[in-house]
Amino acid sequence: MPMQGHGHATNALRIANARVPLCLLEGEFADLGEGLALVDIEVADGAIAAVTAVGTKSKPQDIALIDQDGGQVWPGLVNLHTHLDKGHIRPRAENPDGTFGAALEAARADRRARWSPEDVRARFEFGLRCALAHGTVAIRTHLDSLPPQERITWPLFCELRAAWAGRIDIQGVALVTPDEIRAPFGEALADLVAESGGILGCVTWMVPDLDAVLDRLFALAAEHGLDLDLHVDESLDPGARSLRRIAEAALRNRFEGKVLCGHCCSLSVQPPEEASATLELVREAGIAMVGLPMCNLYLQDRAPGRTPRRRGATLLHEIAARGIAVALASDNCRDPFFAYGDHDVLEVFREAVRISHLDRPVGAWPAAVTRTPAGIMGLQERGRIVPGVPADLVLFRDRVWSELLSRPQADRVVLRAGRPIDRALPGYRELDGLS
Ligand SMILES: [Zn+2]
């Protein structure tokens, strides 16, 4: 694996004339326009030593220089919601009509037939290698944990998390349905997740006993000291209101752990006053949210031979305006739920800006793929460009948003501990043996 810089000091480096989103800096910097500041970044021993307004400190003679000439620099990217265990099954797990129901069926059949440790490992690591090459430093992945898969995937997950430490910080979430939470299995699963240092999760929809399921889920999490990460209301049914019930359950149970809710597509089709009341409860309960727009576009409002009208992206502006922590993430990659994707968080950001009009102004939205998910994951050294954090940076040639968001940024430079890594992507032919 082409990684340098860990375990030995790197030479001092100045990254000069870099545009950095103001929301990822700390201290007073002038806004050049578009929420961007022009700074010089000093790197020493693999960490950021100083961040100063451009030209305010002269460069010592003996240090290396990268002149960004106004190009943007971001901290390492953070992907808060993925499915690395499902990734890249698309060539063998056909979704015949592209709908959500067919995706569930295709993924279930593939899991039952093929998800051996070797199979999951090969696809999981392929995803990590793509993510690393694009500049990712931290990933949270959901892990299908319906029996007997949990006994295969969780030990493998623990092994890969250790093997990738120092390259990508990985967190795992147990993904099950209300059926597994209700059953005695729920207790065993919570034990396994706690032993494995994971997070407890569930898909929620309007099952008749939803409040009882949620009370059991919150009790299992509290008893085991676990945070929660849920797939919530991933549909365009305005009657899908489990987000509100989760907020009420968090308040009713006085839950002290963190709660993250993903998707929440149905908010986009509910009356504004109803969505607003739900978001007020979400804020009160201290719940964070993550939008997954690329996967929503693929699955929502799909019917054969008919052009989609409603696109399923959740209410990002309204969520942010209420002061709720909101991140953006990729969700699935080359599987029956989303046939495309390359584990590139910058692609997610670019698409989200276009889909949800996050550009008048872009403002603090770069934090949604860096600083905010790092905070939700409890990774204090990630997501910001400040003194003392590792010099794990993504350098772009392009300067302003109309440049950065117009191209895929395939020529970006990824620094880890201040040194460039090999950005070659693994080839899909590597996966041919798995089909
Ligand atoms: Zn998901």
mmCIF file of all heavy atoms in Angstrom, residues 253-270:
data_model
loop_
_atom_site.group_PDB
_atom_site.id
_atom_site.type_symbol
_atom_site.label_atom_id
_atom_site.label_comp_id
_atom_site.label_asym_id
_atom_site.label_seq_id
_atom_site.Cartn_x
_atom_site.Cartn_y
_atom_site.Cartn_z
ATOM 1 N N ASN A 253 -36.816 8.397 26.706
ATOM 2 C CA ASN A 253 -35.859 7.498 27.357
ATOM 3 C C ASN A 253 -34.677 8.244 27.979
ATOM 4 O O ASN A 253 -33.772 7.627 28.516
ATOM 5 C CB ASN A 253 -35.348 6.457 26.353
ATOM 6 C CG ASN A 253 -36.395 5.406 26.010
ATOM 7 O OD1 ASN A 253 -36.550 4.429 26.726
ATOM 8 N ND2 ASN A 253 -37.147 5.625 24.926
ATOM 9 N N ARG A 254 -34.682 9.576 27.845
ATOM 10 C CA ARG A 254 -33.563 10.397 28.348
ATOM 11 C C ARG A 254 -32.226 9.800 27.904
ATOM 12 O O ARG A 254 -31.289 9.638 28.686
ATOM 13 C CB ARG A 254 -33.611 10.506 29.868
ATOM 14 C CG ARG A 254 -34.862 11.202 30.369
ATOM 15 C CD ARG A 254 -34.805 11.474 31.859
ATOM 16 N NE ARG A 254 -35.895 12.349 32.267
ATOM 17 C CZ ARG A 254 -37.147 11.921 32.475
ATOM 18 N NH1 ARG A 254 -37.456 10.652 32.295
ATOM 19 N NH2 ARG A 254 -38.076 12.779 32.856
ATOM 20 N N PHE A 255 -32.148 9.471 26.611
ATOM 21 C CA PHE A 255 -30.974 8.789 26.064
ATOM 22 C C PHE A 255 -29.771 9.726 26.074
ATOM 23 O O PHE A 255 -29.860 10.870 25.627
ATOM 24 C CB PHE A 255 -31.283 8.316 24.639
ATOM 25 C CG PHE A 255 -30.196 7.480 24.031
ATOM 26 C CD1 PHE A 255 -29.894 6.228 24.558
ATOM 27 C CD2 PHE A 255 -29.461 7.938 22.950
ATOM 28 C CE1 PHE A 255 -28.894 5.442 24.010
ATOM 29 C CE2 PHE A 255 -28.460 7.163 22.391
ATOM 30 C CZ PHE A 255 -28.178 5.915 22.927
ATOM 31 N N GLU A 256 -28.644 9.248 26.592
ATOM 32 C CA GLU A 256 -27.464 10.106 26.722
ATOM 33 C C GLU A 256 -26.427 9.873 25.626
ATOM 34 O O GLU A 256 -25.473 10.641 25.512
ATOM 35 C CB GLU A 256 -26.821 9.891 28.097
ATOM 36 C CG GLU A 256 -27.707 10.458 29.205
ATOM 37 C CD GLU A 256 -27.128 10.243 30.601
ATOM 38 O OE1 GLU A 256 -26.030 9.652 30.715
ATOM 39 O OE2 GLU A 256 -27.797 10.672 31.553
ATOM 40 N N GLY A 257 -26.595 8.820 24.832
ATOM 41 C CA GLY A 257 -25.655 8.581 23.732
ATOM 42 C C GLY A 257 -25.980 9.483 22.551
ATOM 43 O O GLY A 257 -26.898 10.299 22.590
ATOM 44 N N LYS A 258 -25.171 9.331 21.494
ATOM 45 C CA LYS A 258 -25.428 10.097 20.269
ATOM 46 C C LYS A 258 -26.428 9.347 19.395
ATOM 47 O O LYS A 258 -26.406 8.110 19.338
ATOM 48 C CB LYS A 258 -24.136 10.256 19.476
ATOM 49 C CG LYS A 258 -23.126 11.207 20.097
ATOM 50 C CD LYS A 258 -21.918 11.295 19.178
ATOM 51 C CE LYS A 258 -20.899 12.292 19.694
ATOM 52 N NZ LYS A 258 -19.663 12.283 18.883
ATOM 53 N N VAL A 259 -27.258 10.096 18.677
ATOM 54 C CA VAL A 259 -28.188 9.497 17.714
ATOM 55 C C VAL A 259 -27.999 10.196 16.369
ATOM 56 O O VAL A 259 -27.977 11.434 16.297
ATOM 57 C CB VAL A 259 -29.660 9.662 18.147
ATOM 58 C CG1 VAL A 259 -30.591 8.967 17.155
ATOM 59 C CG2 VAL A 259 -29.878 9.122 19.559
ATOM 60 N N LEU A 260 -27.834 9.395 15.318
ATOM 61 C CA LEU A 260 -27.744 9.931 13.955
ATOM 62 C C LEU A 260 -28.865 9.315 13.130
ATOM 63 O O LEU A 260 -29.075 8.098 13.179
ATOM 64 C CB LEU A 260 -26.387 9.570 13.342
ATOM 65 C CG LEU A 260 -26.183 9.965 11.879
ATOM 66 C CD1 LEU A 260 -26.185 11.483 11.711
ATOM 67 C CD2 LEU A 260 -24.871 9.376 11.335
ATOM 68 N N CYS A 261 -29.577 10.145 12.375
ATOM 69 C CA CYS A 261 -30.651 9.661 11.495
ATOM 70 C C CYS A 261 -30.305 9.963 10.042
ATOM 71 O O CYS A 261 -30.060 11.117 9.685
ATOM 72 C CB CYS A 261 -31.977 10.317 11.865
ATOM 73 S SG CYS A 261 -32.627 9.752 13.452
ATOM 74 N N GLY A 262 -30.298 8.919 9.209
ATOM 75 C CA GLY A 262 -29.987 9.071 7.794
ATOM 76 C C GLY A 262 -31.228 8.999 6.920
ATOM 77 O O GLY A 262 -32.250 8.424 7.322
ATOM 78 N N HIS A 263 -31.141 9.574 5.732
ATOM 79 C CA HIS A 263 -32.188 9.604 4.700
ATOM 80 C C HIS A 263 -33.284 10.628 5.019
ATOM 81 O O HIS A 263 -33.239 11.732 4.539
ATOM 82 C CB HIS A 263 -32.792 8.213 4.450
ATOM 83 C CG HIS A 263 -31.837 7.303 3.760
ATOM 84 N ND1 HIS A 263 -31.394 7.546 2.493
ATOM 85 C CD2 HIS A 263 -31.223 6.175 4.173
ATOM 86 C CE1 HIS A 263 -30.550 6.590 2.137
ATOM 87 N NE2 HIS A 263 -30.427 5.764 3.143
ATOM 88 N N CYS A 264 -34.324 10.238 5.748
ATOM 89 C CA CYS A 264 -35.420 11.162 6.085
ATOM 90 C C CYS A 264 -35.993 11.810 4.828
ATOM 91 O O CYS A 264 -36.259 13.021 4.784
ATOM 92 C CB CYS A 264 -34.947 12.215 7.092
ATOM 93 S SG CYS A 264 -34.194 11.485 8.562
ATOM 94 N N CYS A 265 -36.210 10.979 3.785
ATOM 95 C CA CYS A 265 -36.742 11.466 2.504
ATOM 96 C C CYS A 265 -38.179 11.978 2.655
ATOM 97 O O CYS A 265 -38.580 12.924 1.972
ATOM 98 C CB CYS A 265 -36.740 10.346 1.470
ATOM 99 S SG CYS A 265 -35.140 9.570 1.243
ATOM 100 N N SER A 266 -38.954 11.325 3.517
ATOM 101 C CA SER A 266 -40.377 11.668 3.585
ATOM 102 C C SER A 266 -40.614 13.087 4.097
ATOM 103 O O SER A 266 -41.674 13.672 3.843
ATOM 104 C CB SER A 266 -41.142 10.655 4.446
ATOM 105 O OG SER A 266 -40.732 10.717 5.792
ATOM 106 N N LEU A 267 -39.639 13.672 4.785
ATOM 107 C CA LEU A 267 -39.772 15.086 5.186
ATOM 108 C C LEU A 267 -40.051 15.968 3.972
ATOM 109 O O LEU A 267 -40.726 16.995 4.080
ATOM 110 C CB LEU A 267 -38.485 15.591 5.845
ATOM 111 C CG LEU A 267 -38.188 15.230 7.302
ATOM 112 C CD1 LEU A 267 -36.818 15.790 7.666
ATOM 113 C CD2 LEU A 267 -39.255 15.765 8.250
ATOM 114 N N SER A 268 -39.520 15.557 2.820
ATOM 115 C CA SER A 268 -39.615 16.395 1.617
ATOM 116 C C SER A 268 -41.010 16.402 1.005
ATOM 117 O O SER A 268 -41.288 17.208 0.113
ATOM 118 C CB SER A 268 -38.584 15.944 0.567
ATOM 119 O OG SER A 268 -38.950 14.690 0.006
ATOM 120 N N VAL A 269 -41.880 15.490 1.458
ATOM 121 C CA VAL A 269 -43.238 15.444 0.904
ATOM 122 C C VAL A 269 -44.302 15.688 1.972
ATOM 123 O O VAL A 269 -45.494 15.518 1.711
ATOM 124 C CB VAL A 269 -43.510 14.102 0.182
ATOM 125 C CG1 VAL A 269 -42.685 14.023 -1.103
ATOM 126 C CG2 VAL A 269 -43.216 12.895 1.075
ATOM 127 N N GLN A 270 -43.874 16.066 3.155
ATOM 128 C CA GLN A 270 -44.843 16.356 4.224
ATOM 129 C C GLN A 270 -45.177 17.850 4.231
ATOM 130 O O GLN A 270 -44.382 18.669 3.760
ATOM 131 C CB GLN A 270 -44.267 15.925 5.582
ATOM 132 C CG GLN A 270 -44.196 14.408 5.719
ATOM 133 C CD GLN A 270 -43.370 13.958 6.920
ATOM 134 O OE1 GLN A 270 -42.655 14.734 7.525
ATOM 135 N NE2 GLN A 270 -43.474 12.675 7.223
#
